[in-house]
Amino acid sequence: MERSRGRSTGLGPAVVSALAFGGSGVAAKPLIQAGLDPLHVVWLRVAGAALVMLPAAWRHRALVTRRPALLAGFGLLGVAGVQACYFAAISRIPVGVALLIEYLAPALVLGWVRFVQRRPVSRSAAVGVLLAVGGLACVVEIWSGLSFDAVGLLLALGAAGCQVGYFVLADHGGDGEEPADPVGVIAYGLLVGALLLTVVARPWGMDWSVLTGTAYMQGSGIPAALLLAWIVLIATVAAYLTGVISVRRLSPQVAGVVACLEAVVATVLAWVLLGESLSVPQTIGGAVVLLGAFIAQRSTPKAAVPEPVARGEGAPAAAEGELSSGSRSA
């Protein structure tokens, strides 16, 4: 009963996180088309979210001395690394190809669990990941552009590696007798990410007047400030909060599979709001991603395994202990 409750309470936040993250591109694209550099949009996103989370950072200031490595790693990899590498990658290789490479992260998470942590991985979880990655190949239509720029490929792989760090660190934050509060982890991760991105994006050269004007979505004018608010509050703050909750309740590898829905969500929203139509292969690929997520989430633990099993059903022992206490996040 407890394991089943853990699955149900973890799957919901994972789906919400995917929906929130998936909506970021649809809101960001009109801002970029209005004249903002992609890296400036990333900086505005992270810096704005960090500002929103400042009260939480003050409330959980003890984390700075208690878990400094966790906070620094989460900010470097889970916030700044993923977004900076991805936006740099799409400046050199097709967006769809970069997105598929980034979403190899769930498979890389399984590799981390199996070969670094040396924990067994259930066959169902592995099959779910393979299905999800295969479905993503259809969603992004990888066959449409395969002339890779070597640097762009490395940047996209860097984004995938950073995303693995996000899932692993989010799960690691729940370890120990006194788990790090997820809200505090997110708050300081965003602060660290904002500082790092400030160096990379150099926002002092940004065209700030774009934010006071109007951006256009399929010919309809929308205040740029409203789009930015969506990116900051929903696609960043809410997305990270529900994302870390799902990682700790489902386990990193299963939450990673469900997070693949972000690509499907982004594609569907682009179709509805930006007029970017879906092809038949993309529709089929989306269904396969959903199937993969379902199989991994419904997988059962192996019998007679003395150590914690990385599987799709429940969370690792440390995360399950935290589940009952109700804490979580990022």
Side-chain angles (χ1 to χ4, degrees), residues 8 25 28 31 44 67 83 88 113 138 149 164 188 192 201 203 213 225 241 243 280 298 303 324:
S8 61
L31 293 177
L44 286 167
R67 304 293 294 273
Q83 300 192 47
V113 171
C138 296
D149 174 275
V164 172
Y188 281 102
V192 171
L241 283 170
V280 172
R298 294 292 299 174
S324 60

Side-chain angles (χ1 to χ4, degrees), residues 196-324:
L196 292 172
L197 286 170
T198 297
V199 177
V200 175
R202 302 178 181 179
W204 47 86
M206 179 170 55
D207 184 3
W208 292 89
S209 63
V210 173
L211 299 178
T212 61
T214 301
Y216 292 89
M217 187 178 291
Q218 287 206 84
S220 300
I222 301 175
L226 182 60
L227 291 173
L228 179 61
W230 172 273
I231 293 171
V232 170
L233 299 176
I234 305 301
T236 307
V237 175
Y240 272 104
L241 283 170
T242 53
V244 173
I245 289 174
S246 69
V247 170
R248 293 191 186 177
R249 293 180 179 176
L250 289 174
S251 82
Q253 67 274 17
V254 178
V257 172
V258 181
C260 288
L261 293 174
E262 177 188 339
V264 180
V265 171
T267 304
V268 171
L269 289 178
W271 174 36
V272 175
L273 299 177
L274 300 178
E276 299 177 354
S277 60
L278 286 171
S279 66
V280 172
Q282 285 177 316
T283 303
I284 295 173
V288 173
V289 172
L290 288 171
L291 178 62
F294 177 78
I295 290 175
Q297 196 269 336
R298 294 292 299 174
S299 62
T300 56
K302 293 180 179 180
V305 177
E307 56 185 317
V309 178
R311 62 188 186 283
E313 175 176 334
E320 279 189 17
E322 189 187 4
L323 173 59
S324 60

